[in-house]
Amino acid sequence: MTGKKEDEFWDVYTEERIRTGRLHRRGDKMKEGEYHMVVHVCIFNSRRQLLVQQRQPFKKGWPNLWDVSVGGSAVAGDSSAGAAEREVWEELGLKMDFTGRRPNFTMNFSDGFDDYYIVEQDVDIEKLCLQKEEVQKVRWVDKEEALRMREAGIMIPYWFLEQLFEIGDVHTFDAHGDRRAQLKIGFAQQQHLESWMSLAEIVRWNFPGLETDGCLEDYKLEVVKNMERRSAICALDGNIVVGILLFSKKHNMIGCMAVHPEYRRKDIAGRMVRMMLAELDTDRDVIVDTFREEDERGTAPRAFYQKMGFVPGELGMAEGHPVQRFVLKR
């Protein structure tokens, strides 16, 4: 490597993103079926502003336009995370550790893969050492200013720029795209009914009495009644209901509870139960009927209730199905 871009070589990948062992010289036309890797790093500060850079007017590809914080092609031997570290150092003179990091998302383009990393760090831009061959200047912009710059034709026209600010909320998304911090627990309202019933259809086969469409309609009417008397609690990811709980203040009892299969192990059920307990009579025991020990469907709910302090009680029947009552002593 001489440091000149025309002497830069890239690893060649297959469309399945498998490294072939062949190299490609930057500037040459890539052959059909050959791909290379590009990385972008988007740095947000604690004020939810994005660090943007203005490209040099003599740079090939979007000259003089504003861009996200850092971007460039991975050179031969680079891993994705390694390329991200290197580009941040080369363009901004900023040391960042991407060990163990995976891209927040990847955009495919005609002859390659473009990995995007989202970082939150309050960077002092006055202390950055800009790569003069590529970067004119840097600045912080909020979402409104970034969109204005795109509309004014002075920023690279990323079609997902607005969504980038949403994804950039790193407190909302972890490395696996998990949105647990955004989940909200509250009383369900009429506007949540359709999504509530959508979840009910997903889990209906684990709930005796919901097997038929007629039973599901009766259940829907019961949900509406509970919403009206504030005895229906739901967990929301945005507008999507991912957890449901009906309870009875009269009987100090959980009627039914379910969590979306893709949102389990995030303490959603625990949060809903804790909210419910604050609404119930503290002088009476709380009860719930669940599956018996020999029913494989009961493994998870029985373990959950016992973890919450419920103890197994008498056996009985509900909706024609054998159940066991669990009791939380108050």
Side-chain angles (χ1 to χ4, degrees):
M1 295 284 182
T2 66
K4 296 180 180 179
K5 287 294 184 181
E6 59 267 24
D7 294 322
E8 184 175 289
F9 286 86
W10 303 333
D11 286 311
V12 175
Y13 293 82
T14 68
E15 64 179 2
E16 290 86 13
R17 197 162 175 162
I18 298 172
R19 191 177 291 176
T20 64
R22 299 192 302 274
L23 298 180
H24 175 85
R25 183 192 295 271
R26 183 187 185 113
D28 294 347
K29 182 177 176 58
M30 297 200 75
K31 298 177 182 178
E32 185 175 355
E34 291 187 340
Y35 303 88
H36 74 107
M37 180 168 60
V38 174
V39 297
H40 281 86
V41 179
C42 304
I43 303 173
F44 287 84
N45 63 20
S46 57
R47 300 172 59 190
R48 306 300 312 117
Q49 295 174 312
L50 172 66
L51 181 67
V52 294
Q53 62 157 280
Q54 188 177 23
R55 299 161 72 87
Q56 291 286 11
F58 48 80
K59 182 174 171 57
K60 291 183 179 180
W62 308 109
N64 215 39
L65 293 185
W66 288 87
D67 196 355
V68 297
S69 313
V70 167
S73 295
V75 299
D78 270 343
S79 64
S80 176
E85 281 189 21
R86 179 181 51 76
E87 289 290 341
V88 171
W89 172 246
E90 289 180 355
E91 296 189 10
L92 303 180
L94 185 64
K95 284 287 188 182
M96 283 190 173
D97 184 5
F98 285 77
T99 304
R101 284 288 304 270
R102 292 184 294 162
N104 291 74
F105 64 96
T106 299
M107 300 289 294
N108 294 326
F109 58 99
S110 58
D111 55 4
F113 317 95
D114 195 346
D115 291 339
Y116 281 78
Y117 292 85
I118 310 296
V119 177
E120 183 178 304
Q121 186 168 324
D122 286 314
V123 175
D124 185 351
I125 61 176
E126 299 299 326
K127 295 182 179 179
L128 294 178
C129 183
L130 306 183
Q131 184 181 29
K132 295 304 181 183
E133 297 82 4
E134 299 197 22
V135 184
Q136 288 190 61
K137 63 184 77 166
V138 295
R139 58 182 289 208
W140 293 106
V141 296
D142 58 20
K143 181 169 68 173
E144 289 69 26
E145 176 62 9
L147 296 177
R148 184 200 69 77
M149 292 167 69
R150 186 182 65 180
E151 293 305 308
I154 61 172
M155 187 166 189
I156 295 177
Y158 294 105
W159 63 265
F160 52 88
L161 186 59
E162 184 170 10
Q163 288 77 16
L164 187 62
F165 279 82
E166 298 174 10
I167 299 173
D169 185 352
V170 295
H171 296 297
T172 302
F173 292 77
D174 69 11
H176 302 85
D178 185 9
R179 301 176 59 151
R180 71 186 67 193
Q182 186 164 304
L183 297 174
K184 293 181 171 55
I185 309 295
F187 290 111
Q189 301 176 26
Q190 185 69 31
Q191 69 200 57
H192 304 134
L193 182 60
E194 278 192 81
S195 187
W196 181 299
M197 293 306 300
S198 176
L199 176 54
E201 288 189 43
I202 294 172
V203 300
R204 64 191 293 188
W205 307 112
N206 285 329
F207 285 86
L210 293 184
E211 296 90 345
T212 68
D213 291 342
C215 291
L216 207 60
E217 276 302 311
D218 292 339
Y219 172 75
K220 182 177 181 179
L221 296 175
E222 190 63 29
V223 172
V224 172
K225 291 179 183 178
N226 279 269
M227 286 179 173
E228 292 172 348
R229 54 184 176 234
R230 289 173 64 84
S231 55
I233 293 173
C234 68
L236 293 169
D237 179 359
N239 295 322
I240 303 174
V241 174
V242 297
I244 55 179
L245 188 156
L246 296 180
F247 65 96
S248 168
K249 294 182 180 180
K250 179 180 179 181
H251 300 289
N252 244 37
M253 181 178 188
I254 297 175
C256 79
M257 181 172 63
V259 175
H260 192 291
E262 295 181 15
Y263 286 78
R264 290 170 186 167
R265 300 185 184 278
K266 304 184 192 317
D267 194 36
I268 291 176
R271 291 171 64 185
M272 291 193 299
V273 168
R274 288 190 287 272
M275 180 177 176
M276 175 203 71
L277 292 176
E279 300 295 316
L280 296 182
D281 187 345
T282 58
D283 293 327
R284 290 190 292 156
D285 295 344
V286 181
I287 57 176
V288 61
D289 290 333
T290 190
F291 301 103
R292 294 189 184 182
E293 188 173 13
E294 63 271 15
D295 192 327
E296 63 180 12
R297 294 174 298 176
T299 303
R302 290 173 65 91
F304 166 76
Y305 288 124
Q306 290 184 35
K307 180 180 178 181
M308 294 296 294
F310 288 76
V311 294
E314 61 186 16
L315 303 178
M317 300 291 292
E319 302 290 341
H321 293 264
V323 297
Q324 184 170 17
R325 176 153 294 183
F326 273 57
V327 182
L328 178 65
K329 299 292 184 180
R330 304 282 264 187

